[in-house]
Amino acid sequence: MKEQVALAGLALCLVLSSVAAYTVPPAQLSLISPKGLRISIPDGPGISLFAVHYSINKALPGVAAGDWNYDVTSPKNGYWVHENTLVTVNDGDVVNYWLYVLYNGLGYQELDLSWTASESKPTNAPPKVPTTIPGDGGDAGTDAPGSGSTPTNAPPKVPTTKPGDGGDAGTSDAPGTLIFDEQFDTFDLDRWEHEITAGGGGNWEFQYYTNNRSNSYVRDGKLYIKPTLTEDKYGDGFLNSGVLNIWGASPADLCTGNYYYGCERSGSASNYINPIQSARLRTVKSFAFTHGRLEVEAKMPTGDWLWPAIWLLPKHNNYGGWPASGEIDLVESRGNLNLKDSNGDDVGVQQMGSTMHWGPFWPMNGYPKTHATKTLSSGTFGSSFHKYAMEWTADNLKFFIDDELILTVDPGSEGFWGLGNFAKDAPGIDNPWQYSSSKLVPFDQPFYLIMNVAVGGTAYFSDSFTNSPYPKPWLNNSPTAAKDFWLGKNNWYPTWNPDTNNGEDAAMQVNYVKVWKL
């Protein structure tokens, strides 16, 4: 026992020695144009977490909680960077802050720090990467370990999960807290569950969803969701004579949706199996939130009859089946380059839409009153990345594209029941939301995230649309729609550019997904 005590004492001395041997590098603070604040420190070996706590024009003594408190769980481009585009910092404002770094498994702090903002130096560029790492000498905070103030030995509690890993986590956090931060440094399958189903989204689309690295993968900090041909996996003749059985056997590959014959389909001369294989990812088991700012930077796919979507569904269906419990579509688009509506307006990849679905039951759906589109005058949503955002409070929902407000949804004092005029249009039906006091019911419950690329189907591509140079190969009321689509392959498949850029022109690419508490 005495020998064990002595060894424990020696270990404690070594720990204390290591504590004194590291100093948190000085932070770089700068304004973001047109609004916001960036705080960063340089990356270095051993750093596994960076946290910043701050208030504007308010004292922040010791390790007190700030008005804004964030954990950064991974570095990017040589820096640990926190960006907050919700906070307003004016010229002359004082940012009082303290820092926390987890280094080699131990926590270190720098306390009682302050910085005075100057609007003469706003920036949208990342901080300059130093030519030396902390401890190599030189300027800008690269002093040798051990210099400067000695950090405390009582660091704040270190989080054991990254933002967004705790189901409904974050619902008690202060406004402005980053509660979900996905940078796609890895493909986190604990966070993103693959749906496995041929039922699609209930529109008889022509894809089935699976977990396959041909269709969903992460590379160079981006998520790719890319549709491929079913016959690439199963061979010629499978669509009209094979059996697609995706019931699964283990928890990781079980079919997630049997509706619309979603777990097994048989091909015949008139009833083709889904000719496209794609992916749909969701966070229903890992993350859901109520009220917040959702921000996604993504590039839409280009190719005829592609239907990408980033959207949300309720975790619990508190008010009944769809659409009684609501649906929020952050962005939907169509991949066609030359698709026009009956007025001759672009409705393909030059256009995106944001929509909310709600109503007492199908087909009573009030979505036309909560829908907006944005059409680019030059370029497309598939030629570059764009920022799609939604701000959801207890009073309203607002939708943005590249920081431009395109839709505000405020149902008024009578809520969505009154906005939908359901009592007049269908007298005698029950109001599924009558026992809720929330103004925004059914949008007062946790919603989870979904991202997918669908293809075709019998709803989203109207028969009144015109496409060039080749028309739509199926009609929405055709009993052989999937077959008709497939027989037009020689016309639409080349528009996906399958032999260029690894076929990724037809993929939805996602750079990041973030959610802040509001």
Side-chain angles (χ1 to χ4, degrees), residues 24 57 59 95 121 136 143 199 228 255 263-264 277 312 321 340 352 367 391 448 482 490 492:
V24 175
N57 297 324
V95 180
K121 297 182 179 180
D136 282 347
D143 296 324
T228 59
C255 180
C263 298
E264 185 172 334
Q277 179 176 289
L312 303 94
K340 309 284 187 180
M352 59 75 63
Y367 82 90
E391 293 184 355
Y448 64 91
N490 290 341
W492 53 259

Side-chain angles (χ1 to χ4, degrees), residues 307-383:
W307 177 6
I310 301 172
W311 52 304
L312 303 94
L313 281 177
K315 182 175 181 178
H316 301 296
N317 274 359
N318 287 358
Y319 304 101
W322 192 90
S325 292
E327 173 186 324
I328 304 172
D329 299 333
L330 177 67
V331 53
E332 291 180 286
S333 186
R334 301 177 182 92
N336 303 56
L337 277 170
N338 299 294
L339 189 67
K340 309 284 187 180
D341 65 12
S342 57
N343 297 317
D345 296 326
D346 288 317
V347 290
V349 72
Q350 301 87 353
Q351 184 187 84
M352 59 75 63
S354 296
T355 310
M356 294 168 60
H357 295 267
W358 44 276
F361 50 79
W362 171 254
M364 299 193 71
N365 183 352
Y367 82 90
K369 298 182 178 181
T370 51
H371 169 72
T373 60
K374 168 70 176 179
T375 304
L376 297 177
S377 57
S378 63
T380 74
F381 288 104
S383 59

Side-chain angles (χ1 to χ4, degrees), residues 60-64 97-100 109-114 149 152 156:
L60 194 62
V63 294
Y97 67 100
W98 61 276
L99 308 174
Y100 173 78
Q109 305 162 343
E110 281 294 324
L111 308 178
D112 301 319
L113 305 171
S114 65
S149 60
T152 177

Side-chain angles (χ1 to χ4, degrees), residues 21 55 116 216 336 450-451 502:
S55 297
T116 302
S216 57
N336 303 56
I450 309 169
M451 299 189 293
N502 192 36

Side-chain angles (χ1 to χ4, degrees), residues 222 297-303 308 333-337 348-351 376-388 402 497 501 504-509:
K222 295 181 180 63
E297 187 175 87
K299 181 163 69 172
M300 296 296 110
T302 300
S333 186
R334 301 177 182 92
N336 303 56
L337 277 170
V349 72
Q350 301 87 353
Q351 184 187 84
L376 297 177
S377 57
S378 63
T380 74
F381 288 104
S383 59
S384 61
F385 282 85
H386 292 267
K387 183 169 68 176
Y388 307 93
D402 295 326
N497 290 334
N501 299 326
E504 289 171 355
D505 289 351
M508 181 166 69
Q509 303 177 31

